Amino acid sequence: MTQVHYEVVRHDGGWAYKVQDVLSETFPTHDRALFAARSAAARQRAAGETIGIRYEDADGNWHDEIARGDDRPETDVEDSAGMR
């Protein structure tokens, strides 16, 4: 099963959460960033409906796939600042 890690970090004069190297918007307080990270992690785990998706890859090729609504990753939130 896929694991997605959200991490709360200082960013641009405030706080943000990141997944791998991608940062969220900046929040004015640590608590708001932590709340947003937990909310995003919960939505990532939520099951949805099975649908068809179409996307273009980096080479310009189109692909059609089925996205299973029950194929959700496990998530966690790391608060490296140690604030609660």
Side-chain angles (χ1 to χ4, degrees):
M1 176 168 285
T2 303
Q3 181 77 29
V4 179
H5 302 280
Y6 291 76
E7 181 181 4
V8 177
V9 296
R10 289 189 178 272
H11 176 65
D12 200 21
W15 295 89
Y17 65 84
K18 71 177 188 174
V19 176
Q20 295 181 347
D21 293 329
V22 179
L23 287 161
S24 70
E25 67 270 29
T26 302
F27 296 91
T29 67
H30 172 271
D31 286 344
R32 287 187 184 178
L34 182 58
F35 178 83
R38 288 177 175 161
S39 178
R43 287 191 311 273
Q44 185 87 27
R45 288 189 308 267
E49 62 182 279
T50 297
I51 60 170
I53 60 171
R54 182 172 198 164
Y55 66 93
E56 184 178 10
D57 65 22
D59 295 325
N61 299 311
W62 286 92
H63 302 270
D64 293 303
E65 293 183 4
I66 299 295
R68 289 187 17 224
D70 63 347
D71 185 20
R72 306 308 307 152
E74 291 191 16
T75 63
D76 64 12
V77 177
E78 180 181 334
D79 183 8
S80 60
M83 301 176 71
R84 295 277 177 214

